Amino acid sequence: MKKLEEMNLLDDFLVNSLTGHRLYGEAAARYILECIFRRRIGRLTVVPQRFWQGGSTGKHGVRLDVYLDEEDGEIFDVEPDRNGGAEEITALPRRVRFYHAKIDAGNLAAGEDYRNLRNVIVIFITPYDPFGLGRMVYTVKNSCVEEPELVYDDGAKTLFLYTRGTKGEPPEELRLLLRYMEKSLEENAQTQELKKLHGMVQAVKRDAEVGLAYMKSFEREQRVREEAREEGREEGREEGREEGIVQGRAAEKAECILQVARRLGEIPEKLKRELLSETDPETLERWFQAVLSAGSVEEFQEKL
């Protein structure tokens, strides 16, 4: 687990701590959004780690990293994401679809007209290229397949921001912001606005309450890991017990075969070792049937 001072704004804990901070949260979130959308952002309500449960027991819920509600404006969900594995990237469009669905379901009151459904923009910020085309900005909206020029405005939009993308001539301010978010170092704070953001980040890292929260999260993670290790050890013990039972039953079966075979005559030492070392239940059962039908030790060996 990283030290708090080594964290970057693509790390969940730090971005949550910054945007949820009592002093810096709204200002930091507003600056990030204004860099992305190049417009003034109104007053924001910031909800780090917004959680919606599934519709019923056993249904999937969702935890949003940074949920931002603009007064008289749009709803934003900012998701710094480092999960760049092949399976995670393949599932990303469906993950976004689910996020949109949960946000919409949580923002339309019973009986309210669909025209009142808020515009929602989900923003993934990644150090990996989600589509492999080298763009810094991928904007995804619903459209009509047969008529691409048809205006179809359902109020849903998704932005994928690749921190290292170059294609498409991204705005310089956005490029610098994304580079800073990936590596939140003083040398990457190259504008006055980024210097202010870096100052906020440093202040949050030094905040005693944030440090305490981080220690608690570290302790929780340690407990989870220890519980997982203990569960693994218990499973191992259980597997060992089960294996011991299987081996015990195999030994009993082999001894039974040996007892019957002794009635046929003297058992060669090599055959005895072969019988007692076998553990496969199906093989032992075949050998048991063979020894029952054999008239001599030699015939039994031939059947084997």
Side-chain angles (χ1 to χ4, degrees):
M1 193 168 178
K2 282 183 180 179
K3 295 179 180 178
L4 179 56
E5 57 268 22
E6 296 173 348
M7 283 192 163
N8 304 300
L9 284 180
L10 289 191
D11 293 309
D12 287 350
F13 182 85
L14 183 58
V15 76
N16 290 331
S17 298
L18 174 65
T19 56
H21 196 274
R22 64 192 184 282
L23 297 178
Y24 311 117
E26 186 179 355
R30 178 180 292 104
Y31 171 66
I32 292 171
L33 290 181
E34 289 182 348
C35 263
I36 294 171
F37 296 104
R38 306 175 75 181
R39 72 168 178 86
R40 296 290 299 172
I41 298 293
R43 183 178 178 184
L44 288 171
T45 299
V46 184
V47 186
Q49 305 251 332
R50 180 68 183 265
F51 180 73
W52 272 294
Q53 295 180 334
S56 61
T57 304
K59 295 298 182 181
H60 204 300
V62 64
R63 179 187 60 79
L64 307 177
D65 278 337
V66 184
Y67 179 89
L68 303 167
D69 188 332
E70 182 184 16
E71 187 176 59
D72 299 325
E74 297 173 309
I75 293 172
F76 307 93
D77 168 36
V78 181
E79 297 287 326
D81 187 78
R82 292 185 176 275
N83 300 318
E87 292 183 0
E88 288 85 354
I89 292 176
T90 300
L92 197 53
R94 292 178 184 269
R95 180 180 169 191
V96 168
R97 169 184 159 192
F98 189 75
Y99 283 18
H100 271 286
K102 296 302 281 186
I103 294 170
D104 285 342
N107 281 286
L108 193 66
E112 193 171 2
D113 194 288
Y114 288 113
R115 289 175 297 181
N116 296 329
L117 192 61
R118 306 272 299 282
N119 288 353
V120 174
I121 304 176
V122 175
I123 307 162
F124 270 77
I125 305 176
T126 68
Y128 60 86
D129 190 341
F131 305 110
L133 298 175
R135 285 190 172 275
M136 179 168 283
V137 182
Y138 297 92
T139 303
V140 179
K141 296 172 64 176
N142 288 324
S143 64
C144 177
V145 173
E146 291 77 11
E147 296 288 347
E149 301 303 319
L150 173 69
V151 177
Y152 184 86
D153 185 10
D154 60 2
K157 184 189 298 183
T158 304
L159 267 62
F160 297 93
L161 304 179
Y162 170 38
T163 58
R164 304 174 196 176
T166 56
K167 189 176 179 181
E169 298 182 356
E172 181 68 5
E173 190 176 14
L174 177 60
R175 187 184 67 80
L176 293 174
L177 170 67
L178 295 183
R179 185 169 68 176
Y180 176 79
M181 291 188 71
E182 183 177 0
K183 293 184 178 179
S184 304
L185 304 173
E186 185 176 3
E187 56 263 33
N188 287 334
Q190 296 185 5
T191 66
Q192 288 302 314
E193 290 77 10
L194 278 176
K195 291 183 190 301
K196 290 178 184 177
L197 182 66
H198 182 67
M200 295 178 194
V201 169
Q202 293 302 106
V204 166
K205 287 182 177 181
R206 293 191 298 266
D207 189 297
E209 291 182 9
V210 173
L212 179 60
Y214 186 65
M215 288 303 298
K216 288 181 178 178
S217 71
F218 178 79
E219 290 170 0
R220 284 195 299 271
E221 185 170 322
Q222 289 292 93
R223 283 199 299 271
V224 168
R225 288 180 179 177
E226 183 57 37
E227 288 169 3
R229 283 195 293 267
E230 183 58 35
E231 185 177 340
R233 285 193 289 267
E234 183 58 35
E235 288 177 357
R237 286 193 287 267
E238 184 62 30
E239 288 173 1
R241 285 193 289 269
E242 291 177 359
E243 185 178 350
I245 291 170
V246 170
Q247 289 177 346
R249 289 172 178 169
E252 290 174 4
K253 190 78 169 182
E255 188 63 40
C256 183
I257 294 170
L258 194 58
Q259 291 282 352
V260 176
R262 285 196 179 105
R263 297 174 186 175
L264 303 175
E266 187 176 350
I267 308 298
E269 191 62 31
K270 182 179 179 182
L271 176 59
K272 181 179 178 181
R273 288 197 302 270
E274 185 177 359
L275 286 171
L276 294 177
S277 64
E278 183 58 55
T279 59
D280 180 60
E282 293 183 2
T283 300
L284 288 168
E285 180 58 29
R286 287 198 305 272
W287 288 1
F288 183 64
Q289 296 301 322
V291 76
L292 289 177
S293 60
S296 66
V297 173
E298 291 76 15
E299 183 182 352
F300 174 49
Q301 285 183 291
E302 289 177 4
K303 289 178 180 290
L304 295 186

